Structure formats: C-alpha cells, structure tokens
Amino acid sequence: MSMATRTDTQSPGLHAADSHDLIRVHGARENNLKDVSIEIPKRRLTVFTGISGSGKSSLVFNTIAAESQRLINETYPTFVQGFMPTLARPEVDVLDGLTTAIIVDQQRMGADPRSTVGTATDANAMLRILFSRLGKPHIGPPSAYAFNVPSVRASGAITVERGAKKAVKATFTRTGGMCTRCDGRGTVSDIDLTQLYDDSKSLNEGALTIPGYSMDGWYGRIFGGCGFFDPDKPISKYTKRELNDLLHKEPTKIKVDGINLTYEGLIPKIQKSMLSKDIDALQPHVRAFVERAMTFTVCPECDGTRLSEAARSSKIKGISIADACAMQISDLAEWVRGLDEPSVAPLLAALRQTLDSFAEIGLGYLSLDRPSGTLSGGEAQRVKMIRHLGSSLTDVTYVFDEPTIGMHPHDIQRMNALLLRLRDKGNTVLVVEHKPETIAIADHVVDLGPGAGTAGGTVCFEGTVEGLRAGGTITGRHFDDRATLKETVRKPTGTLEIRGATTHNLQGVDVDIPLGVLAVVTGVAGSGKSSLVHGSIPSGEGVVSVDQGAIRGSRRSNPATYTGLLDPIRKAFAKTNGVKPALFSANSEGACPTCNGIGVIYTDLAMMAGVATTCEECEGKRFQASVLEYHLGGRDISEVLAMSVTEAEEFFGAGEAHTPTAHKILDRLSDVGLGYLSLGQPLTTLSGGERQRLKLATHMAEKSGVYVLDEPTAGLHLADVEQLLGLLDRLVDSGKSVIVVEHHQAVMAHADWIIDLGPGAGHDGGRIVFEGTPADLVAARSTLTGEHLAAYVGT
C-alpha cells in the first residue's frame, strides 16, 4: 500500500497521533489489587472512589503515578539519578498511554522551623527581589532580606597563580537578613528548671523528675559516685558551684566501683538525648516531659519577624518586608497592585499572579510568614496547587488525593471549579475522593471494592455518575444518603470555659464548650476552628488530642507494634512454647539474618531504579525458619501477623490462643473501622484517615475524659461515616466528652451542640457566629454553615 492511498482512506483530520486517548492499565496487583484492568479517558476528570482500604491509592498512586514518575526519572543522566529516590517498578502487566504525572498529595509540609508559606511558594523570593530594588534605604542584595541567610564576613590571603605566584589580601562579605539572636526561627527556647527536679528533695530522695533518671539504675551510680556534690543534700541548699556541676558540667571521665564512666550535666545530656530529637518520634511519656520542660518565647530582638534590624528598616511606601509577610495575603495583593514601577514590571506581574492564586484557591486568609508546619493537610495540598495553577503545561496528568479534605461545603464548589479548569486546559485529572459533591462533577467514575483490604481490590463499577447512582455498589447505594437531625440531644454535664482566646486569627473569643456530649466545631476553612480547639484546650491530663499528622515510623513499624499488640502476642507464644519472647520479634533475635527482619531486600542497581525483592530465605515472613516451628493455636508468628484485625480478633478471642489483653486491643481497632488492616502491614502504607483512626484506637485505652478529634471523617467513605458516628456515640455514652472539628454535614447533624466560627476566613473570621443545637442552626440559617446544613438535611 503506497503512502498516497493510505492518506486518502483515512478520514481527514484524524491523525494516528490523536488516537492515543486512553491510559490503559492491565493486570495491576499492587498491595491488595486483584489483577485490575481499566481504561481511563485522557483530558477528562476521572474520580476514583470506594470504601477506605478498597485499593484506590494502590491503583492511582502506587501504580499509575509511580510508573510515570519512574519512567521520567530514567530520562535523566545516570549521575543525576544517583541523587533521586530509587523507585521500584509497580506490579502491573501493561501500562499504556501514560503522560507526565504531577502528584498533589496530602502530606503535611515539612515542619522545618524556617519553612513558611512564603518560602514554600515563590512569593517570598519575589518580595525579596522587589525590596532589594525599591526598598529605601537600600541595604543590599535580595539575600539581605532573607531570614534564612546569615551574614558572613571572612578575610584572608588568596594565592593567584599567574606566572609568578603572588598572594592577594581579600575580604569576603555576604549580607543576610537572619536575626542573630534566634537564628531566623522567630522564637527562643528556654528550659524550665522546675520541670527537671524538685529542689526541696535530695537526689537520693528522688529529686529528679526527668523520665528514666531514677537513682536505682546507672544514673544513681554516676550521681552517687562522681563526688561533685552530696547526693543526700536537698538541691535548694546546693552552692552555686554544685548546682552548676549538676546542670551544666561538660563531659568528665570518672571512675565508679572500678568502672570507667562519663559524667555530664543534666542540661547538655537531655539536650542530646531528648530535646534535639523529632518530638513525634519520642515515646508518649518522654514527649509529655519535653513539652513541659521546653518553653518557647517570641525572640525579643526581632519581635518574632525572624529578620535583622537592617532588613526591617528598609521600606517601600512605609511597609517593610516583615510587615508585608505579616499581612493577610488578600491585603498584600491589594498593596502590590498599588505599586507601579516600570523597572520591575515583570516581577510585579508575576507576584500579583501568585498572590491572586492564593485568593482564588481559598487561601487568601493565610499570611506569608505563617510556618508551613502549622497548615492542615488540606491547606498544605492547596498551597502545593498554587504552583500548578499558573503553569502553561498541558497534556499532563494531575493526581489529587482527596482535595476536599478540610473544606467547608462552601469551599468545595471553589475546588471543583479549579479541578475543571485544570481539565479544560487539556490535562488528565485523576482524583481520589469520597465527597458526593466532587464525585458529581466527574466525566468518568471508577468505583473500587466491594470491601476493604483483602475483600477489596476489584473494580465494581466504571462509567458515568448517573450509571453509578443506578448501580448497586456500596458507593452507588450511599450516594444520595443524607443524615437526619437527631430527635433529642443530650444534656451537658458541665462546661469547658475558654476566655479571650487569641491564637492566630481568633478575636478574643469567649465560649463555653459543653462536656459530656458530642460537640462539633465548624466554620469555613481559615475561620479559626483548629486555632480554637488546639490553641485553647490544654492537652494536659485527661485530654486526648488526635490529629492527622504522620505517625513517625520506619518500614519496620506496623499496627501490631504501634498499638502495643505485639507484646501480649509474643508473651503468649513464648509461654506456650517455653522459649523467650525476643524470638518472636522481627527486630530482635528472631529476625531472618538475610533481610534483618524486613522481609524484603533492597537492591541498588546503581544506574537504574533500585528494586525491592522478597527475601528468598524467609520468603517475606521476616523470621528465622526455626522460629516458625513454634505454634500457638495451630498458627506460627508470621501467619498471625498476616491476619487481618477481624481474623485475629476471632483467633485470640477463644480456644487455645485466648489472650484477653491482645483481644482488647483488637476490639478497639475494629471499633474505629480498621478491621481490614493486617497486623503486619507497614505503617508507611496507611492513609491519613487510617493513621488518625489508629491513633484514636491507641488512645481509647487511656483514662481520659475529653477527646479532641480533628476531622475524623477525612478519607472515610460515606458508608464508613455511619460506623464512625456510632463509635463517637459509644464514647459519649460511656461518659466521655467528645469535641470534633468537622465539616462533614452528617457529623454536624448528629451533634448535640454546634459552635460555628466565621463569618469568613482570616481576619474576616475568628468570631463565634452561632452556638446551639443543630436544629436551631438549621432553623436560623443565619450562617454559611446553617444554609449548607439546611440544604443537606433537606428541610
């Protein structure tokens, strides 16, 4: 066939290159996916839904996005790839038609103390250039306005090799804007000595109140035998010298009972062992101590602005860079519009566009100096979106992980418009989502299920939203579910009084939160909900605060180790078989020597992406073969760790393996809706909502009276929300007080008492606009929340 005839037979306008309009996935087997094959239309908005644990993230993130990322990384030179994370090829037979994937996920932004909203977007960098050009007095280059650049001066001789060598005297200076007192952190930290010891007692009487520092162990030997002070003398009677030795003495070699030891003052010692560590990685009792002992105060020199005096003195129209960063972004955008300076016109245009994107995405209430670690998961995700909104890339795949988390129903409509805008630019938009308002705008829906964990991992429905409604899947059946207002509400048993709360944007709020009932705090994004709940309710004795933050853990941590479930299981195995418990730990003596108890071996292939292969010796079971010969109730330890919570609950509930302590923990896990998790699944593979529910299950054992939950419905399917409401009811009925920050209308309708913040976001919010029962809120319809809730319950 000649070329001419071929072009003639083809319909005009249809080019072979235009026929690739599908992303095809065949035989995906990541995590719990069971040979999934689907075709996703390109340049359309596809929503993936299904109950928690049904395999949505495994398909979208761990298969489609991961492979796209890996293929792009392979286009870089080998040298560059050496600095990139090595990605293993996902378990899938065919992936066809992929385009570059940009992932906008819910990971909280790094909580580095010097990372702010301004440094995380490009806004801060643009402001610095602007001030270095227009600021009066002129103090130096853009770095002179940067709070994370210290000023440096150096001088010395440099040798210039040209013909005859000659030495030249040179001085080097760099002007930075970092405040010298607080190193650009904005706060200075002090240690509260009263939390380290009780000065009315002597060391031998147990004066030290630092966790782990008792006089019975090693520390007692060291303090008793060092001879720097008298261990029987009350600390209040110490001389200056003795107190200094106790607190600050530098490491000194001493000999106690013929053993060489090192003595070091308390402060440098706890600084190294506790204070310099990531606070989330510490054990709960140590973390509580650190939070008590460390006091942070605003830096007196820079007044919390993080900038040196020179940087604060340079102004444009009476505004310094510190003032600009402290403004609410919507106000800053107005100020920038008023600057008309032809010499920096392109810079001003770019800065305006970035600041307008903040407002458009609903984050106009933030300020650029807000630390990025204090943003919620949903806010962090929207800050990352700002980069992509102005982007001129098309034919890209954008992957979103529940973009509506943390959004008031009022804000969800805005987010929907943004997703459609990205699609209309010619991009493929893939969204993992549970909210019916967002599923409704999809061009194509993929519903995974039918159950969670091993009961999920198959495609139950693929097609349009109308088809989903008519289909019999769990999502389809619950799609039009609407909670109803409660007939009667519980009566409070007391109140928690908050007076004059001013954290972030709160405007001197006075409120009584009722105790002994289910109280819901709501309001649009940025109205001050979290500031009120986390800033004013002291997380001290009797208050358990459960958030969505990551659980710090390695590849070795799993639900069994995190909840303390592994201990009773190991002891039961050890007791039945007459051996020691350490054998049944994959991090201790029982570990397979080849893979060190990880179950997989990571091979670095130098110039290609590394691969994780299942360890051949233990076949991924993580234990030595000899350990697997010991049984409990007919199962070995690796089989027990492979069980789901539901199976294990049955297994430890009765019969030979009956272990009441283990059974109690498993009961709590299935209570919070995690029955599908397997005991040995690495924590790194859990979603934000799963992590929060795992923390909740762990905390339910504590003797506490008040539970503070931050959006517990995040990442929950419509069907799971009912189960969560049942759990909250059981907590309240057992005499606990539950305070929930929440946007989900079903939770609002179920509350006994609602506190609505607003009326807007940022400095337009921070006030209480309604407090009362849900029925009153719906009847009054006086606030945004009231209108949306009324529409939801259909009154």
Side-chain angles (χ1 to χ4, degrees):
M1 186 197 264
S2 75
M3 277 312 283
T5 44
R6 225 178 92 190
T7 24
D8 298 344
T9 53
Q10 216 175 22
S11 61
L14 186 68
H15 193 286
D18 296 332
S19 61
H20 303 278
D21 47 8
L22 291 173
I23 295 177
R24 293 188 313 139
V25 181
H26 273 274
R29 293 178 299 280
E30 271 300 304
N31 296 337
N32 64 341
L33 296 178
K34 302 192 172 79
D35 252 342
V36 168
S37 298
I38 56 164
E39 295 189 336
I40 303 165
K42 279 192 188 170
R43 293 176 282 283
R44 294 290 179 274
L45 174 66
T46 303
V47 171
F48 292 79
T49 181
I51 64 174
S52 314
S54 57
K56 304 179 295 293
S57 302
S58 305
L59 177 59
V60 180
F61 291 96
N62 306 357
T63 305
I64 299 172
E67 180 63 358
S68 162
Q69 206 89 50
R70 189 181 75 87
L71 293 172
I72 289 168
N73 284 5
E74 288 195 349
T75 62
Y76 292 114
T78 315
F79 175 72
V80 177
Q81 286 184 47
F83 296 100
M84 292 181 150
T86 49
L87 305 164
R89 187 178 186 284
E91 276 282 304
V92 58
D93 298 333
V94 181
L95 264 178
D96 219 357
L98 287 179
T99 67
T100 308
I102 293 176
I103 301 176
V104 187
D105 62 9
Q106 286 275 334
Q107 292 291 326
R108 289 278 171 106
M109 293 174 101
D112 180 280
R114 292 202 196 93
S115 169
T116 63
V117 171
T119 58
T121 52
D122 294 330
N124 205 297
M126 291 191 256
L127 270 179
R128 293 201 301 262
I129 300 171
L130 186 67
F131 271 87
S132 75
R133 296 278 189 284
L134 306 180
K136 298 272 180 296
H138 175 75
I139 58 163
S143 66
Y145 296 90
F147 57 75
N148 35 26
V149 179
S151 294
V152 181
R153 279 191 194 79
S155 60
I158 53 171
T159 309
V160 182
E161 293 195 12
R162 242 193 257 126
K165 291 183 186 172
K166 55 172 187 259
V168 180
K169 201 77 168 156
T171 56
F172 165 77
T173 54
R174 179 180 68 197
T175 319
M178 180 187 283
C179 163
T180 47
R181 170 81 195 269
C182 64
D183 283 350
R185 289 164 192 268
T187 54
V188 283
S189 60
D190 282 317
I191 294 176
D192 179 358
L193 296 181
T194 57
Q195 299 295 344
L196 304 188
Y197 56 76
D198 174 353
D199 67 0
S200 62
K201 296 180 177 167
S202 70
L203 287 178
N204 280 342
E205 287 164 355
L208 297 182
T209 52
I210 308 170
Y213 281 65
S214 77
M215 293 298 283
D216 311 335
W218 270 111
Y219 289 117
R221 272 191 167 184
I222 293 176
F223 289 127
C226 66
F228 299 131
F229 34 73
D230 178 0
D232 290 315
K233 180 156 111 184
I235 294 183
S236 55
K237 300 242 167 61
Y238 276 23
T239 61
K240 253 191 170 155
R241 172 82 187 270
E242 288 176 323
L243 193 59
N244 192 47
D245 284 345
L246 176 67
L247 295 176
H248 302 286
K249 197 167 180 67
E250 57 278 8
T252 312
K253 297 228 177 315
I254 56 169
K255 218 181 180 99
V256 181
D257 304 338
I259 303 169
N260 290 327
L261 296 171
T262 302
Y263 172 81
E264 189 173 12
L266 288 177
I267 289 179
K269 201 161 184 66
I270 60 170
Q271 201 94 43
K272 284 188 207 129
S273 64
M274 299 174 192
L275 307 182
S276 59
K277 295 218 166 103
D278 179 356
I279 192 151
D280 293 329
L282 300 169
Q283 291 165 301
H285 66 288
V286 180
R287 182 187 325 174
F289 162 73
V290 172
E291 282 169 353
R292 283 197 314 269
M294 288 295 278
T295 54
F296 289 96
T297 44
V298 172
C299 169
E301 223 161 274
C302 66
D303 209 15
T305 58
R306 307 153 174 258
L307 288 160
S308 65
E309 202 177 328
R312 297 198 307 275
S313 68
S314 173
K315 295 182 174 175
I316 302 176
K317 292 192 174 173
I319 298 276
S320 71
I321 191 164
D323 302 333
C325 290
M327 276 186 203
Q328 186 165 311
I329 290 173
S330 50
D331 298 346
L332 180 62
E334 279 304 302
W335 180 74
V336 172
R337 264 195 203 89
L339 298 177
D340 182 27
E341 190 61 51
S343 63
V344 286
L347 175 69
L348 283 170
L351 183 56
R352 269 183 223 128
Q353 189 188 1
T354 301
L355 296 175
D356 288 345
S357 304
F358 271 101
E360 199 178 330
I361 209 163
L363 292 177
Y365 59 86
L366 294 175
S367 60
L368 294 181
D369 62 4
R370 168 92 176 257
S372 58
T374 63
L375 297 179
S376 68
E379 286 172 333
Q381 185 177 31
R382 303 207 289 288
V383 166
K384 293 177 195 165
M385 269 183 84
I386 287 181
R387 292 231 169 113
H388 305 305
L389 282 177
S391 157
S392 27
L393 289 172
T394 61
D395 257 335
V396 174
T397 303
Y398 283 97
V399 187
F400 289 95
D401 185 5
E402 294 188 46
T404 60
I405 276 191
M407 282 199 168
H408 187 270
H410 169 70
D411 303 312
I412 290 180
Q413 298 154 349
R414 260 183 173 163
M415 181 52 103
N416 285 351
L418 287 171
L419 294 173
L420 294 170
R421 215 178 93 194
L422 282 172
R423 176 201 70 185
D424 295 344
K425 276 170 63 175
N427 297 310
T428 310
V429 182
L430 309 181
V431 184
V432 172
E433 188 52 85
H434 294 293
K435 293 263 170 73
E437 298 98 319
T438 301
I439 299 174
I441 62 163
D443 300 309
H444 188 74
V445 179
V446 178
D447 187 15
L448 288 152
T454 47
T458 57
V459 173
C460 302
F461 171 82
E462 227 187 317
T464 60
V465 180
E466 284 65 50
L468 176 72
R469 272 203 172 98
T473 64
I474 294 188
T475 310
R477 286 204 304 274
H478 286 275
F479 194 74
D480 294 308
D481 271 9
R482 293 294 178 260
T484 48
L485 294 171
K486 285 202 292 207
E487 300 286 314
T488 56
V489 292
R490 304 180 183 92
K491 289 277 168 279
T493 53
T495 54
L496 182 69
E497 293 185 4
I498 292 177
R499 293 289 174 263
T502 53
T503 316
H504 291 318
N505 63 338
L506 295 177
Q507 306 186 3
V509 171
D510 294 343
V511 62
D512 292 339
I513 300 181
L515 296 176
V517 296
L518 176 57
V520 171
V521 179
T522 181
V524 292
S527 58
K529 302 177 298 297
S530 303
S531 309
L532 178 68
V533 172
H534 296 306
S536 311
I537 301 175
S539 58
E541 288 307 299
V543 176
V544 163
S545 181
V546 186
D547 62 6
Q548 305 242 345
I551 292 174
R552 305 296 159 118
S554 62
R555 302 180 181 132
R556 295 171 176 274
S557 314
N558 54 42
T561 56
Y562 182 75
T563 55
L565 174 66
L566 205 56
D567 290 340
I569 294 181
R570 286 200 300 246
K571 285 181 184 141
F573 264 98
K575 195 171 167 193
T576 311
N577 295 295
V579 289
K580 57 183 179 180
L583 280 177
F584 301 101
S585 163
N587 300 338
S588 182
E589 293 183 26
C592 157
T594 313
C595 63
N596 291 328
I598 300 178
V600 286
I601 289 175
Y602 292 92
T603 320
D604 181 12
L605 295 179
M607 64 271 203
M608 287 153 48
V611 214
T613 45
T614 306
C615 167
E616 287 175 8
E617 185 159 328
C618 64
E619 292 169 1
K621 291 179 179 169
R622 306 173 51 190
F623 293 92
Q624 293 177 24
S626 57
V627 175
L628 301 180
E629 286 165 16
Y630 300 116
H631 287 78
L632 174 69
R635 301 283 185 98
D636 65 42
I637 182 83
S638 72
E639 288 170 328
V640 169
L641 288 176
M643 289 179 183
S644 70
V645 169
T646 324
E647 287 172 69
E649 210 176 351
E650 207 174 290
F651 178 71
F652 288 109
E656 189 202 334
H658 179 61
T659 315
T661 37
H663 192 255
K664 230 187 260 161
I665 297 174
L666 290 161
D667 267 348
R668 288 200 292 270
L669 284 172
S670 69
D671 260 355
V672 294
L674 293 177
Y676 60 88
L677 280 190
S678 73
L679 305 184
Q681 181 178 337
L683 287 188
T684 42
T685 61
L686 300 187
S687 68
E690 286 171 335
R691 290 197 290 258
Q692 187 180 20
R693 300 202 293 288
L694 183 62
K695 289 182 192 173
L696 179 60
T698 315
H699 285 309
M700 276 166 64
E702 295 176 14
K703 297 280 176 282
S704 51
V706 181
Y707 284 83
V708 178
L709 306 180
D710 195 352
E711 293 185 47
T713 58
L716 277 187
H717 186 265
L718 301 160
D720 298 322
V721 172
E722 292 168 24
Q723 193 181 359
L724 180 83
L725 290 173
L727 169 71
L728 297 180
D729 274 345
R730 285 201 300 278
L731 277 174
V732 176
D733 294 338
S734 68
K736 314 271 191 213
S737 304
V738 180
I739 301 167
V740 186
V741 173
E742 189 54 89
H743 294 289
H744 201 294
Q745 293 103 321
V747 182
M748 291 184 211
H750 201 78
D752 298 309
W753 190 260
I754 282 191
I755 295 170
D756 190 10
L757 287 154
H763 58 43
D764 303 327
R767 293 189 289 278
I768 304 265
V769 288
F770 175 86
E771 37 184 329
T773 64
D776 296 343
L777 178 62
V778 168
R781 298 190 187 209
S782 55
T783 67
L784 276 172
T785 310
E787 285 168 31
H788 282 284
L789 186 58
Y792 177 83
V793 295
T795 52

